[in-house]
Amino acid sequence: MSDLETRAVPARAPLLRRAVPALLGYAAVRALGLAVLAGWSAARGKSAHTLLTARWDSLWYTRVAELGYGYEVRLPNGDVHSNLAFFPLLPWLERLLHALAPLSYADAGFVVSLSASLAAAAGIFAVADRLYGPRTGFFAVLLWAVLPVGIVQSMAYSESLFTALAAWSLYAVLAGRWVSAGVLAALAGLTRPVGAAVVAAVWTAAVISFVRERGTRHAPGAHPATRAPGGHAPDTPALGAHGPGGDAPGAPAWRRALGMLLAPLGAAGYVLWVGHRTGAGPLGYLDVQAGWRNGFDGGYAFARFVAGRLTSFPSALAGLGLIAGVALLIWLYVICVRRRQPPALLVYTGVVLALALCASSYFGSKPRLLMPAFPLLLPLACALARRRPPVAALVTAGLAGVAAVYGAFWLNGSGPP
C-alpha cells in the first residue's frame, strides 16, 4: 500500500474517546431522572435519597456490608428471608468504599451504583460500536438509559454493577481476550444469580472457536474469512478479523481454556459456600431462594399471574400490557437471531430472558431483572442510527422525559422490591 493509500484510511479514535458522546448523553438522562425524582419526592414529603439508598434490597446489601452474612427474617407464614440470597460483590465494594472514604454503607452503595452505571454504559457502547459502529453504540447507550425502570441504574442495587461486568465480558469475548472475559464473568457471577448467563456466553463462544479452529485445521487450504472493517451496513455486525463467536485468529488455545475455567468460579464458589454454610450441600442456595418464594417453574406462575389480571377491568389492561411486553421481548430476540448477532450475545440474552420470565419470583421485579438484556436494544439502536438526527434526537428526548416521570412515580409508589 502506498503512502497516499495509507493516509486515505483514517485511524479510529481510542474506544473511550469514541464513547464520550454516549457517556455524556447517558449522564444527562440519568441527571434528568434524578432531578425529577427529587422534585416529585419533595412534593410528596419523601426523601429521594432514602428511596435510592435505604429501601428494599438496598437495606439487605448494606446490612451484609456492615454485619456480614447470617441475618434472616422469619415471616408469620413460615417463609424465611435470609441475606444469603444476596450475592457478595456489591456488599464487598460497599465495605471497601466505606473504609476508604467518609461515606455510610448506604451512600457507598449509591456511589458504586452510579460509577457502575457509567461503566455499564461504556461497555454497552463498546459492544455496539464493535458490531455496528459508533452511531449505533451511541443510541444503544441512550436506549438503555431511557428504559422505563432506568432509575434502578442509579439505586444502590446490583443491576448496574452486573450489567457493567456482563457487557465488558461480552466485549472481551468479541475481541478474543479470553482471560479478561473469564475474570469478568467470574465477577459477574459474584454479583447476581444471572451471572450464569455470562458464563454460558463465554463457554459458548469458546467452544465455537475450538470447533471452528478444528474444522479449519482439517480443511486443506482453508483460511479464516475476514472482512474489511468499516464496510458494514448499520444493522450488520462488523466482525472484522473475528468470527461470530469473537475468537481472534491465532489466539492460543490455552487462553480460551483458561477463560472457560475462570468464568464459573464466582457463581459456583458462592453457591457452594452457601451450601456449606447452611449444611444443605451443593443445592443449599436453592433452599435459600425458596425461602423468598423464588424458583424456576418455566413461567407457570407468571402465566397465572397474567391470566389473573385478565379476569376483571381495569386490571385487564395491565394484563394485556404484560402480554404485549413479553411479545415485544420475544420479537426483539427473534430480530437479534435473524440479524445474526454473535452467538455469545444470543446465548447471554436468551439466558437472561429465560431466568427473568420463567422464574416464580415476585412479578414486580421482572422489569428490572430484564435490564441487563441490553443486546435486545441493538436492533432499535440500529433503526435510530439510520434516522435523521432531528428525528432521532426527538425520539430519545421524549423517551428520556417519559422515563424520568415514570421512575419518579414508580419509586414514590410501589417501587422495586
Side-chain angles (χ1 to χ4, degrees):
M1 180 179 289
S2 68
D3 292 341
L4 179 61
E5 290 173 318
T6 302
R7 289 194 298 271
V9 180
R12 296 190 83 193
L15 174 60
L16 289 181
R17 186 181 301 172
R18 297 197 304 275
V20 167
L23 295 181
L24 291 176
Y26 177 80
V29 172
R30 291 271 46 85
L32 174 64
L34 292 174
V36 173
L37 175 65
W40 193 300
S41 302
R44 293 175 59 88
K46 294 185 178 181
S47 167
H49 178 263
T50 300
L51 292 175
L52 292 169
T53 64
R55 290 193 68 186
W56 305 296
D57 290 5
S58 300
L59 292 173
W60 288 88
Y61 281 119
T62 56
R63 187 175 284 115
V64 173
E66 183 176 6
L67 303 174
Y69 286 104
Y71 177 82
E72 63 183 28
V73 176
R74 295 184 177 272
L75 304 182
N77 65 357
D79 290 346
V80 178
H81 289 183
S82 168
N83 65 0
L84 290 170
F86 295 87
F87 277 51
L89 185 58
L90 177 58
W92 287 348
L93 293 176
E94 290 178 348
R95 182 180 298 177
L96 176 63
L97 190 55
H98 171 76
L100 296 177
L103 294 171
S104 67
Y105 290 104
D107 287 339
F110 182 58
V111 171
V112 169
S113 184
L114 289 181
S115 303
S117 68
L118 283 172
I124 292 170
F125 175 87
V127 171
D129 171 65
R130 185 174 185 85
L131 294 177
Y132 306 108
R135 184 170 170 81
T136 298
F138 175 82
F139 285 109
V141 169
L142 290 190
L143 287 173
W144 191 67
V146 302
L147 290 174
V149 294
I151 191 65
V152 175
Q153 297 164 18
S154 300
M155 297 180 66
Y157 270 44
S158 59
E159 273 76 11
S160 289
L161 179 61
F162 174 80
T163 304
L165 294 168
W168 282 108
S169 179
L170 291 171
Y171 175 77
V173 167
L174 296 176
R177 299 169 184 168
W178 295 100
V179 177
S180 297
V183 171
L184 290 166
L187 292 173
L190 284 171
T191 307
R192 295 190 62 80
V194 75
V198 191
V199 177
V202 172
W203 274 62
T204 297
V207 168
I208 289 174
S209 73
F210 279 123
V211 172
R212 184 183 299 113
E213 184 179 80
R214 180 181 177 85
T216 302
R217 190 179 297 132
H218 287 77
H223 298 281
T226 61
R227 301 182 186 180
H232 55 283
D235 56 355
T236 303
L239 301 178
H242 301 273
D247 51 305
W254 69 267
R255 287 184 176 273
R256 280 169 277 174
L258 181 57
M260 294 177 70
L261 177 65
L262 292 171
L265 293 184
Y270 182 69
V271 167
L272 291 175
W273 178 80
V274 170
H276 173 74
R277 183 182 175 101
T278 60
L283 300 181
Y285 182 76
L286 298 181
D287 294 335
V288 171
Q289 286 287 2
W292 286 81
R293 298 290 180 101
N294 292 334
F296 190 87
D297 61 3
Y300 175 72
F302 185 41
R304 286 189 59 187
F305 174 79
V306 173
R309 306 280 79 74
L310 301 176
T311 58
S312 62
F313 188 85
S315 65
L317 297 177
L320 292 174
L322 289 171
I323 294 174
V326 173
L328 174 62
L329 293 171
I330 295 173
W331 176 66
L332 287 173
Y333 188 71
V334 170
I335 291 177
C336 293
V337 174
R338 287 180 174 177
R339 294 185 177 176
R340 300 180 64 187
Q341 278 190 6
L345 268 65
L346 293 176
V347 168
Y348 166 77
T349 307
V351 175
V352 172
L353 286 176
L355 292 178
L357 297 178
C358 298
S360 59
S361 56
Y362 179 70
F363 305 114
S365 301
K366 293 190 181 295
R368 69 176 177 87
L369 296 180
L370 290 163
M371 190 180 300
F374 68 89
L376 291 176
L377 301 174
L378 297 183
L380 300 177
C382 287
L384 279 175
R386 293 194 297 267
R387 297 295 180 266
R388 295 172 56 191
V391 174
L394 183 63
V395 170
T396 52
L399 291 174
V402 171
V405 172
Y406 179 77
F409 167 78
W410 188 45
L411 285 197
N412 278 277
S414 61

